Structure formats: structure tokens, C-alpha cells
Amino acid sequence: MPGFLLCLRNLLDKPKYICVLIILGLIAGCSDVLDTVPTDRLSSQVYWQADKDAEYAANAVYRFLESPVTILGRDAMSDLVRATFETSDETKVEASIADSQTNIFQNTWNDMYSGIRRCNDYMANIGKITPADEAKVNRLTSEVRTLRCYFYSRLVAYFGDVPLIATPIGISESKTLTRTPVSEIYEFIYTEINDAVNYLPKTTAEKGRVTQGAALGILARTMLFAAGNVTGTDSRANTYYERAKVAADAVIALGVYSLLPNYKDLFTYANENNVEVVFDKQFIKDVYANSVMNSFGAVSLGNNGSMMSPTIQLVDEYETKNGKKITEDAAYDPMNPYANRDPRLSYTLYVPGDVLPNGTIYDSRPGWSNTADVIGASYQVSKTGLLPKKYINPEDVGQSNRSNCGINLIIIRYAEILLTAAEARIELNTEPGVALGYINDVRRRADVNMPQLVDITGQSALREAVRHERMVELALEGNRFFDIRRWKIAENVCNMNQITGMRYVDKNTGQLVVITNDYKKKFTARDYLWPIPYNERQLNSNLTQNTGY
């Protein structure tokens, strides 16, 4: 198998980022591998003989972490964003007209279970190796166990009860599976991660690997979502909040992470793997790339157009620099609506007058310019006149293939950990001072520097504060989709008969103009859970359907 070994050698010569150590791609790319070796899975004919086999198999699992388009695009189905392309699956979901045959449901199911399958293959075969370095193999195995928990945490957040599969199964067995209650899956995740973390390092030279902080961060986020009891069948909220608090506190206690001083630098190439990154997915141009620029960047940069058009609900949530709501601050100027606001507004959104990564001015205002970004110029432009700014970098401008982006995707960052630690305390109605301190830590980041919150007492007021902070701090990072579901507020914030976008001054009349369109968002009780995909139920009639589909 000389071709196989050559491919392996070439791959290992790449920089030590785990995204390039993807054994599935290696196998598929080496055409002279014996035909008897399956090309769609790890085979005991090739692997499970030495420590390196465990390493390659573990590396392969990371491939199944979601792409930037998947994670960031989830907010297109929240109140902060409307989907730009009206034929997209996101449009169907946010209009509550999707059904069990809508592709996004099947694709999500397939992606997560594909990752779980690779994890189960690893776990079933790792015992065949007699480790030369037992600590290393234990660490790799703990990475895989944690990743399997991550995949399950996503599945239950989308679908509720799903089959819990922890060993490899065949086709006949798959047809007999039933849905496992979420309570059992949450217990599985809790037990697995709490054991796996004992074998994981605090830090690692190979960026992107699961560490103690990543595992505990996944656990904290999962338990926080579990407390929301989206299925209505698992009412142990306090238990889950306590677990979320303990896990978040453990991440903080590691002393490994801190807030990056400049929020505006969080999503840039220069600051990849910075002190705030708890868990991310690694990418490298030309080797293992993503399409974040083409999927979210301005049309005038030569892109396909952003799949997300942010709404005024997001803009209005940002306070004035005085720390007040725009409706409560006499200093707010509606004719200059983006000035003197929480700096995170300008770090999160492109608004008219902002400088794009190629040095040109973004202008979506009708009548003000003739750029390709003007509302109505094409079906590709933002329908609200606003665009996401995170992950849009000059390094990805002007290249012939705008899907060849190498920017890493941050899955969990330290600011979220602090806000989780705060929210868990607020919901448990304990240590309000500690909770408020964590919120203020996030607000007082050097280049944000918002006024500290003081004299906030009572669970209700603190809850409002932490929810506001999550909304503006984590905006357009894919978290809002899940937050409005676990908070059970989606029916209140996502039912809109009209979408409101940017505000600007008409060039001719000098009057304030507000962009609106009759695009409708609708959210009903059934939409808290996605349907079990049609094809899965055709293959296995034991899989019951969620209510309303």
C-alpha cells in the first residue's frame, strides 16, 4: 500500500491542527487502498493495532462538528435575523410551514448520527490496542466520549427524545430502535463527561482538541438547556441548573481562560486560538476550508450574499453608551441610530457607512448609492439592510474561491461560560452578587466598557440582565436559536407579520426611514421541537413523531 503511506506522510507533514488529520478523507483520497477495505468507515483490517490508529480514528471524529454555515445560520430561525433567501429551509422553519420531509431536519439528523457512529466505532475497537502510551490513548478516548456527548446534546436540543446508541449496530437492529427519553440521554452525557474529564488535559499544543475546559463547557451548556425542559417531560430544572453551575465554575477555576481585551478581534485570523476560546473547530485554507465569507459576506465583495438578514430587534437591544435602553435615554438620536451605542453593535453588524474588509463603504440605503448591496438590487442582498460582521475578514476577500476560508469557528468561548455561571445562580436564586459580577465582567471588557450594573436585586431583574447580556454578547453566533426555546419565549418573540430592518435618513426629504417588509415569522407550540425526519420513520416505524407534525 505505498500510495496509502505516501498520503499519510503528506498529511502528517501539515501543521499540527487536528482538522488536517482526518482519516476518512485520507482513505478516500488514496485510490490504491485495497478494494476490500471499506471507504466509508474505519476498518479493523487497517487500524486498531497501535496508538497511532487510535489517534487517527479520534481525529476523524472532529470532522463531524458542525460547519460555520450550520451553527451561525441557526440564528436565521430566531427573532434576531430573517432568512435572506426565501426558498431556503430556514425560511420554511421560521414561517412554521416546514414538515418532516424538509431537508434541514434530515441533514441535521444525519450529521449528528454520523458523528455518533464514528464515536461508537472507536469505542468498540479501542480495546484491541495494547497501548504503548496508556495516558495518550486514555486522553484520545476521552475526547471521543466527549464529542459523542456533544452530538447527543445537539440532537436532543433539536428533536427531544432520540435513540441513544452507544455501540455499533447493523441495519436490522436500527429498524427496531425506539426513542430514548431526554432524561436518560442527559444522564448519559452527565456521567460520560464527568468521567472523561479526568483523563483530559487543561491545555494542549494541538489546538482544537477537547480539553478539560471544552468538556466541562459542553456539559455546562447542555445542562443549562436541559433545565428548560423543552419536551415537557423532564422537570428537574434545579438539578440541571446546579450541574450547569458546577461545570461552569469548574471551567472558571481552571484558570486557563480569560476575556480577550478587544471584542472586535475575537473572530479574526490574527486572534485564532486566543485566551477566550474554550472549544472551536479548526480550519485551514486549501486543506480543510469553510465558506463563511461566501455565505455571510456582502454581495459587493463578490459573494453569494448573506443567508442572514439581521432585524431591528437585535439593533434595538444594544444599549446606549450610558447603559440605558434607547427608549429611556434622551441622548439617543433616532436620526443617527447607530452612534453612541454599546460598541458590540458595531463589532457585530455592518450598518450603512461601515468600512468593508476590502476598504470600500457598505451602503445598503436606497437612493444613496448604486452599490451591489443596496436593498432591492438583487435577491441576494440583505432584506433588512444589515449584515453580520463576525468572521468576515480581509484575508478572504478577492480570492477566486470564496468558500476557501480558513478561519476557525468558535463553538464555546469564555464569555458564554461566565454568563452560564451567572444564569444558573440566578435561576437557583443563590449568590446574586456573584452572578452580577460575572455579568459585569462581560460588560467591562476593555473595548466594550459598558457601565457596570448596580443596585439590581431580585431574581426577575437579574434574569432580564443576563438574558440581555447573552443576546448582545453572543449575537449571531448560533446561540439565540436555542436560548429562545429553553426560555420558552419563542412564541412571544418570533411571531411577526412584518420584519423591520435598518433605520436611515432619506437623502431627498431628510426624514427618518425604517425598512420594513411583509415577510412573516410564525412560531407555534410544535416548533419547540423539530420533527423526526420522514425517511427515518419510513425505515423504522417504532420512531414516534413529535406533536404537530
Side-chain angles (χ1 to χ4, degrees):
M1 296 174 26
F4 174 81
L5 295 176
L6 178 60
C7 286
L8 177 59
R9 187 177 300 111
N10 289 340
L11 186 59
L12 292 176
D13 285 340
K14 299 290 184 181
K16 291 186 69 177
Y17 291 90
I18 64 167
C19 69
V20 299
L21 294 172
I22 298 173
I23 201 66
L24 298 182
L26 174 65
I27 295 173
C30 301
S31 59
D32 64 342
V33 176
L34 296 178
D35 291 340
T36 55
V37 178
T39 60
D40 65 339
R41 61 189 181 276
L42 299 174
S43 169
S44 60
Q45 297 178 44
V46 178
Y47 297 100
W48 312 118
Q49 298 174 22
D51 292 9
K52 277 292 183 183
D53 299 331
E55 183 177 358
Y56 298 151
N59 293 340
V61 177
Y62 285 88
R63 175 182 181 178
F64 296 95
L65 292 170
E66 304 104 313
S67 71
V69 172
T70 297
I71 288 186
L72 305 181
R74 288 299 180 249
D75 276 352
M77 295 170 283
S78 76
D79 54 328
L80 305 190
V81 178
R82 65 151 285 186
T84 299
F85 304 113
E86 297 185 4
T87 59
S88 68
D89 285 353
E90 288 81 6
T91 296
K92 296 175 183 176
V93 172
E94 65 175 339
S96 194
I97 59 174
D99 60 31
S100 63
Q101 296 187 68
T102 302
N103 289 333
I104 194 172
F105 305 138
Q106 185 70 65
N107 293 340
T108 301
W109 182 281
N110 290 347
D111 290 346
M112 295 299 95
Y113 272 116
S114 293
I116 290 167
R117 177 188 176 188
R118 292 338 187 257
C119 293
N120 289 343
D121 286 343
Y122 178 103
M123 297 303 296
N125 286 287
I126 191 61
K128 297 175 182 178
I129 294 175
T130 301
D133 185 342
E134 186 173 0
K136 178 180 180 179
V137 172
N138 285 341
R139 186 254 299 168
L140 293 167
T141 301
S142 294
E143 292 178 22
V144 171
R145 292 172 71 186
T146 301
L147 291 171
R148 182 168 59 178
C149 290
Y150 175 84
F151 298 137
Y152 271 119
S153 74
R154 300 304 256 186
L155 279 170
V156 295
Y158 290 123
F159 300 102
D161 300 349
V162 295
L164 177 59
I165 310 164
T167 58
I169 61 173
I171 294 176
S172 59
E173 189 176 358
S174 69
K175 293 181 179 180
T176 66
L177 294 171
T178 57
R179 299 174 67 182
T180 306
V182 292
S183 58
E184 294 183 28
I185 299 176
Y186 286 133
E187 288 304 311
F188 174 82
I189 293 171
Y190 180 71
T191 301
E192 281 285 286
I193 290 183
N194 273 314
D195 185 57
V197 76
N198 294 314
Y199 303 96
L200 293 169
K202 286 186 178 182
T203 61
T204 176
E206 292 182 284
K207 301 301 181 182
R209 287 198 176 279
V210 172
T211 58
Q212 289 182 19
L216 291 165
I218 291 168
L219 180 59
R221 176 190 281 182
T222 303
M223 295 296 102
L224 199 66
F225 188 88
N229 189 20
V230 175
T231 63
T233 60
D234 187 10
S235 57
R236 297 178 294 160
N238 281 357
T239 296
Y240 291 131
Y241 281 127
E242 181 63 32
R243 291 176 176 179
K245 180 178 82 70
V246 170
D249 285 354
V251 178
I252 295 168
L254 289 172
V256 173
Y257 310 102
S258 59
L259 296 173
L260 190 69
N262 292 326
Y263 187 97
K264 66 179 179 180
D265 295 333
L266 273 168
F267 310 98
T268 63
Y269 281 93
N271 285 282
E272 289 185 321
N273 308 308
N274 65 71
V275 295
E276 190 164 338
V277 177
V278 177
F279 186 42
D280 67 354
K281 184 174 184 179
Q282 301 273 318
F283 292 93
I284 299 179
K285 287 177 183 285
D286 302 318
V287 178
Y288 189 63
N290 63 63
S291 61
V292 68
M293 172 61 83
N294 198 43
S295 299
F296 300 108
V299 174
S300 65
L301 297 177
N303 301 308
N304 187 52
S306 174
M307 63 182 287
M308 295 196 298
S309 296
T311 66
I312 204 66
Q313 278 76 10
L314 174 57
V315 175
D316 287 352
E317 188 68 20
Y318 290 96
E319 299 167 340
T320 67
K321 282 189 174 180
N322 296 323
K324 298 180 179 180
K325 296 179 180 180
I326 61 173
T327 56
E328 299 173 352
D329 192 341
Y332 169 70
D333 180 6
M335 304 299 284
N336 195 10
Y338 313 111
N340 300 313
R341 303 286 293 277
D342 181 334
R344 287 173 292 188
L345 170 57
S346 65
Y347 302 151
T348 300
L349 295 176
Y350 281 112
V351 303
D354 282 350
V355 180
L356 290 167
N358 65 349
T360 62
I361 302 300
Y362 175 71
D363 197 347
S364 54
R365 298 172 297 176
W368 276 86
S369 72
N370 59 356
T371 72
D373 300 317
V374 172
I375 287 181
S378 71
Y379 75 92
Q380 297 166 296
V381 303
S382 170
K383 301 301 188 293
T384 61
L386 306 166
L387 284 178
K389 186 176 287 188
K390 294 176 178 178
Y391 296 105
I392 304 301
N393 289 294
E395 290 88 344
D396 297 324
V397 174
Q399 56 185 354
S400 59
N401 180 5
R402 287 170 297 279
S403 294
N404 186 24
C405 303
I407 188 71
N408 296 342
L409 172 71
I410 302 174
I411 298 175
I412 300 175
R413 55 187 178 91
Y414 190 58
E416 180 187 345
I417 298 297
L418 292 175
L419 295 175
T420 295
E423 183 178 349
R425 284 173 166 80
I426 291 166
E427 296 303 330
L428 290 167
N429 210 10
T430 185
E431 299 181 290
V434 176
L436 191 58
Y438 287 144
I439 295 171
N440 280 324
D441 286 344
V442 174
R443 291 174 63 87
R444 298 291 289 174
R445 186 195 301 264
D447 74 342
V448 173
N449 197 29
M450 289 295 290
Q452 291 194 53
L453 301 179
V454 295
D455 300 327
I456 294 181
T457 59
Q459 187 180 44
S460 179
L462 285 166
R463 181 182 292 136
E464 181 180 351
V466 76
R467 292 185 179 187
H468 160 81
E469 210 58 36
R470 283 188 66 92
M471 189 170 172
V472 297
E473 172 70 22
L474 306 175
L476 308 189
E477 296 177 44
N479 291 280
R480 183 68 175 176
F481 173 91
F482 300 101
D483 283 349
I484 61 176
R485 283 161 173 76
R486 66 184 180 85
W487 291 334
K488 302 289 183 63
I489 64 171
E491 289 164 288
N492 299 328
V493 301
C494 281
N495 277 307
M496 308 176 192
N497 290 321
Q498 190 178 70
I499 299 296
T500 303
M502 69 175 179
R503 301 182 180 99
Y504 71 100
V505 175
D506 186 274
K507 188 174 185 179
N508 296 317
T509 67
Q511 298 298 307
L512 185 68
V513 177
V514 181
I515 292 296
T516 60
N517 54 70
D518 292 333
Y519 184 92
K520 293 178 173 58
K521 282 181 177 280
K522 182 180 179 182
F523 196 101
T524 65
R526 73 157 197 173
D527 298 312
Y528 279 100
L529 294 175
W530 282 1
I532 304 302
Y534 174 84
N535 288 341
E536 300 304 317
R537 298 191 69 233
Q538 290 297 107
L539 294 169
N540 180 3
S541 59
N542 294 312
L543 297 177
T544 57
Q545 186 56 279
N546 285 326
T547 302
Y549 293 97

